[in-house]
Amino acid sequence: MTRKYPLHVHIITMFLLLILPLGAVVTATSFKLSRDMLQSVASDMIRRIGAETGADIAALVAPAELAVNMMAHTGLGKATSFAERRHYLPQLREALLGSSALSSIYIGYPDGDFFFFRRIIDEAQRVRLKAPGGARYVVQAIDHDKGHHIGRYIYLDDNLGELGHDERLDYARSYDPRTREWFKAAQISATGIKTAPYLFFSDRKVGMTLAARSGTDSGSVVGADILLETLGNDLKEKKLTPGTHLALVNEQGLVLAHDDVASLTSVPDGADGRPRLTPLADFEHAALRAAVPLIGAEQHSAVLTVGDADWQVDVTPVQLQGMPPLSLVIAIPEHELLAAAFGLRSTALLITLASILLSIVLAWVLARALSKPLRALHAQAEKTRRFDFSDIDGVGSMIKEVDDLSQGMGLMRKSVQRFIDISQAVGGEMNFNRLMPTLLRETLAAAEAEIGILYLADQDGLIPMVLLDAGGEDIPLPLLPVPLSAAGPLLASALAEGKTLGGTIGHDDIEATGLDAVMDLGDVRHGVAVPLRNRQQQLVGAMLLVRRTPVDDAQLSFIGNLAVSAASSLEARELIKAQKELFEAFIKLIAGAIDAKSPYTGGHCERVPELTKMLARAACTADDGPFKDFQLDEHEWEAVHIAAWLHDCGKVTTPEFVVDKATKLETLHDRIHEIRMRFEVLKRDAEIDYWQGMAAGGEKSALAARRDAALAQLDDDFAFVAACNEGGESMSPEQVSRLEAIATRTWQRTLDDRIGISHEEHQRKSLAPAPALPVAEPLLADRPEHVFARRPQDRIGTDNPWGFRMQVPEALYNKGELYNLTVGRGTLTAEERYKINEHIVQTVIMLSALPFPKHLRNVPEIASGHHEKMDGTGYPRRLSREEMSPLARMLAIADIFEALTAVDRPYKKGKLLSEAVWIMALMARDRHIDPELFELFLRAGVHREYADRFMRPEQIDAVDIDRYLTPA
């Protein structure tokens, strides 16, 4: 018999087992909290430094900006000669003296004149400018006097007295302010411009340029240069620790400011000998070099190991109004940043050890006074309340009363944990077909049954769905549906009473449910019948579990409560499955409607998804190359499926008369018939002229010859117009000239063309006054009413929320006859081609408006990129390859290949397989499609798989893919 010990012995023993880990946890926690606090403070300081750096730059820029704006509103902008401009030198000097960072102010004139006033900052600059001693300022001027170029360098002292001057003809000829970016940019800016910081050519110092149009409407531009070298000293003062490094970098990763000014510039090997700004990747400080991957990345902070030390590296954006963003890079040695935390950890460890020793003594004394062992049981009850089952076997106390109570509590905790585990397993399974085996498997284990079957209910009875053995392995399902009236005594009773029942399973039960096909009838069996009802108490299914021993009341109650959760899961998953099936049918309905809308699309919306998934499967199975790590989970496959089916959903908005336009003059009907009738009128006029001439006594042969020549010319001209209408080869300049010549011929209209027409057409015609009848009209005309104005809702703003970057034609449609007939190639005008291309815009808008669940939120991105090109020249967003997901690039390839090979489009013949591959190879070479995906398309045989399934046998020919593949 196990020996029992006094309570205080158990308590002090347990106390020791608990207090020692607790001391370690407290010490570790205090260290972590102090470290986190220091890192948080450091993060706050870093953000403050970033804000202060932005403020420092703004403080440098503001006086200079004020000076530029002030000089832009003086008469200097209208000064036409060097003498007039020189009068403004005192004002320019005051502007320079107003800002220590301002190095120069200048003005460029629309005639190419230039007036540049700079201060001499140091001796090195004095030498470069060849300025005499005592010179404090330099004026550089360019004048154009009667065709002559005059260039001057004038050296001035503190009082603007002239100390000397040089004539610089080469300077006047080589420099034209009108060609400079600051001049051109300021000319088109209403508020002035600020450049990003850069290395000045002449000073070899980092600075930036400000420029603004002159307020005198003279067309001149005032500019100024600012030096940013004081930022290095400012950064030095902002160091958090002695070993901290700070650097200001631009978007290209070039260092603009550091306390070591000499390190800002370098001369690259093989360059032209001119200094360049040092890239952060080449900077002398290794900790700053390590920050390069953080610039522009989502993560702006990281602890990096540089050499044998850890560094806290942060990249803080510095936002400046009207300027490209900069980044402040800060690298702090970890041992300096966390010095206080390390000290606190040592102190906490000593305090914790002393506290543990004192607590042991106190616990020994207090444990003797305890009369009841309730604390341990209370702690265990609290764990149960918090659903903490880590100590599921109880406390294991040697005190009998506590031990008995602990064992009972352990059994209870096991039951609760079992229920939670089963509920989590069932509730976490989203796939309805996998849910049913999971549900039955967990219930089998809970009931300790050797075989179980799960039914789903319908209006005719119970449909067997899953049959499992004791190990949870699937048994082939030889069972037939069971009518409710013939379910067997046990199962029928459970269904009738609506609750879980246990009992002996007789031959009637086994035969009624069909289990006699999979189990021996000789032994007595016991079973559990479980009805599954939803929240409306409607029967959704049932389970029948077979055991060798009777089920006790506790297990029966447990299984009954589990059935409630199982029924809810079945109901929810069945509803989700039905919704997915409805959505699937809906997207296929839309795709079918698009294909049925026009004979030019055929089965496009059905074939593109299949080809896209073929290419995606090839990427998933690739074991080398760029797609060896590419994989799609179940949700991503669903997104690909939906996106591919809906990729052309915007075509429901494209007018059929544009999509189906077969000739240049076709709208809802082919207007060549109207033009033919005008030619017929002119031919009748030629006949009438002949007979009128005969009636007037003219010579018959001459009149007949003139008539026949006119008729022949009209026939030839109409045949030419009709040929142009077909839109075959490209139009030559000679053909366009002939159309324009034919258009100059006139015919006489005697009837009012503003009656019997629609209100909309009447409004367009009212743009021009009605001529008096009869009126001579051109044989071919571009009339004001042919132009359909684009409404505001038909335009795409540059700030649209979808990121569209398409060139929108001014007019919605232009149905001008000559305008359409002179279309260079094909039958579509620019407006009509845009209208067709606009279907992808509508696709994006329509899909973006749908409330996709989180796992399908990339559907619009996948569906909307199939007209983008890898070089960024596609539409509607002009995305480059790097801005598109692999799935969007796959869909683009599938869309093009299907279009090339489709045979159900009456306006073209489907390409041979080799022709389609050749065309797509050219597109891959020109970066219209992804070259890597195209290689995968060929290497994996996707082109052949698609051809075998969807192309006609006569289209499938041999393809030598090696000529298109990059050598391995």
Side-chain angles (χ1 to χ4, degrees), residues 49-51 53-58 60-61 194-198 206-208 228 231 235 247-257 277 294-296 300 314-329:
I49 292 172
T53 303
D56 291 343
I57 298 175
L60 291 175
V61 172
K194 303 184 189 75
T195 69
Y198 63 98
V206 178
M208 57 186 292
L228 301 179
L231 289 178
L235 294 180
L248 188 68
V249 301
N250 62 12
E251 291 180 295
Q252 291 73 40
L254 302 178
V255 181
L256 304 177
L277 284 173
L294 300 179
I295 298 177
H300 298 296
D314 289 83
V315 177
T316 303
V318 178
Q319 299 292 338
L320 300 169
Q321 183 177 7
M323 293 174 54
L326 306 177
S327 297
L328 181 64
V329 181

Side-chain angles (χ1 to χ4, degrees), residues 787-809:
V787 179
F788 290 64
R790 186 175 292 278
R791 301 169 299 175
Q793 60 265 37
D794 294 322
R795 299 184 180 276
I796 299 177
T798 56
D799 57 346
N800 67 87
W802 304 280
F804 298 142
R805 293 190 291 174
M806 294 179 68
Q807 188 66 35
V808 182

Side-chain angles (χ1 to χ4, degrees), residues 205-266:
K205 297 180 182 295
V206 178
M208 57 186 292
T209 298
L210 283 68
R213 285 187 307 185
S214 173
T216 59
D217 295 328
S218 61
S220 56
V221 173
V222 177
D225 291 336
I226 303 172
L227 295 177
L228 301 179
E229 62 185 6
T230 59
L231 289 178
N233 294 329
D234 293 340
L235 294 180
K236 187 176 183 180
E237 296 174 358
K238 293 180 173 63
K239 289 186 175 183
L240 297 180
T241 68
T244 298
H245 290 291
L246 296 93
L248 188 68
V249 301
N250 62 12
E251 291 180 295
Q252 291 73 40
L254 302 178
V255 181
L256 304 177
H258 186 267
D259 55 59
D260 183 5
V261 178
S263 62
L264 296 180
T265 57
S266 59

Side-chain angles (χ1 to χ4, degrees), residues 897 900-901 910-923 934 937-938 943-944 946-947 951-964:
F897 190 77
L900 289 172
T901 57
K911 301 288 185 185
L912 294 177
L913 180 59
S914 60
E915 292 175 336
V917 170
W918 177 74
I919 292 172
M920 295 192 69
L922 296 179
M923 299 178 75
F934 179 63
F937 180 77
L938 296 179
H943 65 295
R944 184 71 193 198
Y946 176 83
M951 292 173 61
R952 292 180 177 176
E954 60 269 23
Q955 288 181 271
I956 304 175
D957 57 353
V959 179
D960 180 13
I961 65 172
D962 292 335
R963 61 183 294 201
Y964 306 120

Side-chain angles (χ1 to χ4, degrees), residues 735-756:
Q735 290 173 312
V736 173
S737 297
R738 183 177 177 185
L739 279 174
E740 291 172 347
I742 293 172
T744 60
R745 299 194 62 172
T746 60
W747 65 285
Q748 191 175 62
R749 177 171 61 84
T750 62
L751 298 175
D752 189 351
D753 65 351
R754 303 195 179 204
I755 59 175

Side-chain angles (χ1 to χ4, degrees), residues 620-698:
C620 290
T621 56
D623 52 10
D624 58 9
F627 298 98
K628 64 180 180 180
D629 298 323
F630 181 85
Q631 287 299 325
L632 297 178
D633 59 26
E634 184 177 350
H635 293 320
E636 290 169 325
W637 276 114
E638 184 180 1
V640 173
H641 175 77
I642 293 173
W645 273 96
L646 292 177
H647 78 284
D648 270 347
C649 65
K651 284 185 177 178
V652 298
T653 66
T654 306
E656 290 182 45
F657 75 88
V658 176
V659 177
D660 298 346
K661 187 179 182 187
T663 64
K664 295 181 179 181
L665 291 174
E666 185 177 4
T667 54
L668 294 178
H669 69 285
D670 196 337
R671 294 178 294 159
I672 191 67
H673 305 302
E674 298 178 21
I675 294 174
R676 181 188 297 109
M677 188 54 63
R678 296 174 199 163
F679 275 89
E680 294 285 3
V681 170
L682 292 180
K683 291 181 73 174
R684 299 301 183 277
D685 288 346
E687 291 284 354
I688 292 171
D689 289 343
Y690 168 77
W691 289 109
Q692 286 178 341
M694 289 289 293

Side-chain angles (χ1 to χ4, degrees), residues 22-35:
L22 180 62
V25 170
V26 169
T27 302
T29 302
S30 62
F31 173 73
K32 182 180 184 304
L33 291 176
S34 61
R35 182 185 63 186

Side-chain angles (χ1 to χ4, degrees), residues 375-440:
R375 293 183 183 272
L377 295 176
H378 175 72
Q380 195 174 67
E382 281 295 308
K383 284 187 174 183
T384 304
R385 186 175 64 86
R386 295 194 304 269
F387 295 97
D388 179 3
F389 302 103
S390 56
D391 188 18
I392 198 166
D393 293 328
V395 296
S397 175
M398 295 184 181
I399 301 173
K400 187 178 185 307
E401 293 83 2
V402 176
D403 192 62
D404 292 342
L405 185 58
S406 176
Q407 290 180 14
M409 186 173 290
L411 292 174
M412 177 195 70
R413 286 157 63 87
K414 284 183 179 180
S415 297
V416 175
Q417 185 187 31
R418 182 69 177 171
F419 185 83
I420 292 175
D421 289 344
I422 293 174
S423 298
Q424 288 177 343
V426 172
E429 181 55 69
M430 300 301 296
N431 186 291
F432 184 74
N433 294 325
R434 292 197 299 264
L435 171 65
M436 293 185 290
T438 302
L439 176 61
L440 182 58

